[in-house]
Amino acid sequence: MKKILVIEGDGIGKEVIPVAVKILKKLGNFDIIFGDAGYECYKKRGSFLPDDTIEYAKESDIILFGAITSPKPSEIKNYKSPIITLRKMFNLYANVRPINNFGIGEVIGRLGENYFLHAKNIDFVIIRENTEDLYVGRERIDNNKAIAERVISKEGCRKISKFAFEYAKKNNRKKVTLAHKANILRLTDGLFLEEFYRVAKDYKDIEVNDALIDSTALKIILKPEEFDIILTSNMFGDILSDESSSLIGGLGLAPSANIGDDKALFEPVHGSAPDIAGKGIANPFAAVLCVGMIFDYIGENDKGNLIRNAIKTCILDKKTTPDLGGNLKTKDVEKELLKYIDRYD
Ligand code: NAI
Ligand code: MG
């Protein structure tokens, strides 16, 4: 039986992850344990990621993670983000972020005040290198300069490129686009570009191209249908994924997987959303879509599809939280999802 560590974290992590866990328990048979991490945990226990949580993570096959509130830079010196620590500790080198509006953009159109489903059908995946780049956290002060190191390795580029092509093969994706800034970052992104095309030679059936990161950011808004898989480095991938979520109704619909060779961590793309935390209106779909990705990961795609269909039906029936234009609370959305699953499971 697969062991899953659940870390709710802070803010809306504590509201959306319980919904995800209900669905996880309903559809699967897992050994589920709970661990502490985050700002609340720091205030209670003096650590953002206590040793017992790290031990639980080591014992687990899968981690389901909510979101964590980061302290301000002035508040805590030497702060290390728990999520980045976990990604590095277990070498979860591939971050997979599907951007999909379930093919219902044209039906729904505009949703809430700020968010809308794009009128086109949106379906692409961002694959982000997850352990290198500026996120290695090598920052230092040199006199009056603050310096951050950008580290890109040949091995890292090869591994993530291979992952992207294997993912394409497995998921019937036809094209991989590398987004980079090799015109300026000639050594670091130059290396990525070189390794990418070297790996691509082994995948003749998959179309490849590359594009500068800034024009990619524009094209995501203007011509999203031109993308199938966008492969990119750590920080660019972080930025592109929030941007891309605007095409599919916002962060409430963006899940992600952090995948390593023998462990995986699933988390919504969104953070702890302090502006709405405690109001009971956080959209649980991103967290629940993570559960769908967990089922895909263990080869139970039928259950992944059931979850995606449940969410699609809720959106079509306007059974959603306010961010997607509905007037339901998180708990009511949970009920709707469970009703659907009871009917079709
Ligand atoms: P955020 O993703 O928490 O929120 C951005 C905006 O989207 C807010 O207006 C929020 O209300 C809305 N939103 C996000 N998720 C939503 C949901 N499920 N339902 C409805 N609306 C939703 O980003 P923000 O505000 O920049 O960061 C808040 C905190 O979270 C910060 O401390 C940040 O460092 C942290 N963070 C943590 C992450 C993690 O633990 N993986 C990832 C991103 C941010
Ligand atoms: Mg982010």
Side-chain angles (χ1 to χ4, degrees):
M1 192 191 294
K2 297 273 187 218
K3 193 165 187 166
I4 303 191
L5 167 65
V6 175
I7 300 174
E8 290 179 352
D10 297 312
I12 63 165
K14 290 195 186 322
E15 300 171 38
V16 296
I17 293 297
V19 181
V21 170
K22 274 244 169 79
I23 289 171
L24 201 57
K25 283 185 175 162
K26 187 159 183 71
L27 288 174
N29 194 15
F30 301 103
D31 176 10
I32 299 180
I33 50 172
F34 290 84
D36 255 354
Y39 203 6
E40 289 287 317
C41 169
Y42 169 78
K43 283 195 268 181
K44 242 181 5 215
R45 302 182 51 189
S47 168
F48 276 87
L49 184 64
D51 288 343
D52 58 345
T53 305
I54 293 177
E55 281 312 307
Y56 296 150
K58 283 184 186 158
E59 292 164 16
S60 304
D61 306 289
I62 292 168
I63 303 166
L64 175 62
F65 183 97
I68 277 177
T69 302
S70 331
K72 292 190 183 73
S74 58
E75 206 175 337
I76 296 173
K77 296 264 178 294
N78 302 324
Y79 167 74
K80 269 173 73 184
S81 149
I83 186 69
I84 290 182
T85 305
L86 290 168
R87 286 172 185 162
K88 273 195 203 143
M89 186 175 284
F90 301 114
N91 196 21
L92 307 174
Y93 64 92
N95 194 338
V96 178
R97 300 183 150 186
I99 304 292
N100 188 313
N101 67 2
F102 309 102
I104 53 177
E106 288 176 48
V107 185
I108 296 273
R110 196 167 178 84
L111 280 173
E113 189 57 20
N114 303 313
Y115 299 119
F116 59 93
L117 283 184
H118 204 286
K120 293 172 184 164
N121 287 338
I122 306 293
D123 178 21
F124 62 90
V125 181
I126 295 173
I127 296 183
R128 162 191 180 199
E129 199 292 323
N130 217 16
T131 58
E132 303 192 328
D133 193 3
L134 286 162
Y135 287 47
V136 293
R138 291 193 207 153
E139 286 193 296
R140 62 181 193 279
I141 299 287
D142 181 355
N143 292 318
N144 287 324
K145 288 185 209 136
I147 300 169
E149 276 182 50
R150 182 171 204 250
V151 180
I152 304 283
S153 75
K154 210 178 230 190
E155 177 64 20
C157 296
R158 247 182 236 164
K159 227 175 155 176
I160 195 66
S161 299
K162 192 165 185 322
F163 180 93
F165 287 110
E166 287 296 325
Y167 182 94
K169 249 169 69 176
K170 202 168 154 211
N171 294 281
N172 204 22
R173 300 257 169 200
K174 311 281 183 230
K175 180 173 155 193
V176 181
T177 303
L178 179 73
H180 61 86
K181 192 73 182 171
N183 56 335
I184 306 293
L185 301 166
R186 303 185 77 81
L187 294 181
T188 48
D189 271 357
L191 183 69
F192 200 174
L193 202 53
E194 207 176 297
E195 292 305 316
F196 169 71
Y197 279 111
R198 204 190 303 275
V199 173
K201 284 192 193 133
D202 295 335
Y203 298 89
K204 298 257 187 278
D205 295 342
I206 298 166
E207 192 186 333
V208 289
N209 67 349
D210 68 272
L212 295 176
I213 187 67
D214 35 0
S215 68
T216 303
L218 173 68
K219 219 180 201 184
I220 278 177
I221 303 297
L222 294 183
K223 292 187 172 171
E225 66 280 8
E226 288 193 9
F227 297 112
D228 200 356
I229 289 179
I230 300 175
L231 171 64
T232 190
S233 51
N234 207 337
M235 184 143 100
F236 293 157
D238 190 16
I239 297 168
L240 286 190
S241 44
D242 275 37
E243 183 201 2
S244 303
S245 82
S246 73
L247 299 173
I248 56 159
L251 286 171
L253 278 171
S256 80
N258 300 264
I259 297 185
D261 287 332
D262 47 24
K263 209 185 280 292
L265 181 155
F266 298 80
E267 51 164 346
V269 172
H270 65 71
S272 59
D275 54 340
I276 58 162
K279 294 186 179 162
I281 55 164
N283 185 348
F285 289 159
V288 173
L289 285 167
C290 288
V291 177
M293 291 182 89
I294 291 177
F295 283 113
D296 294 343
Y297 175 70
I298 61 171
E300 298 188 23
N301 301 69
D302 51 335
K303 290 181 181 166
N305 289 336
L306 176 66
I307 287 172
R308 287 180 282 273
N309 280 332
I311 289 175
K312 176 175 172 174
T313 305
C314 284
I315 298 172
L316 283 169
D317 293 346
K318 301 210 182 313
K319 307 276 194 202
T320 67
T321 44
D323 56 300
L324 292 182
N327 55 14
L328 297 194
K329 296 265 190 183
T330 312
K331 284 282 158 202
D332 304 321
V333 173
E334 173 186 296
K335 280 189 206 128
E336 292 298 327
L337 289 170
L338 291 170
K339 249 198 275 177
Y340 182 94
I341 289 170
D342 275 337
R343 230 178 305 144
Y344 292 98
D345 183 24

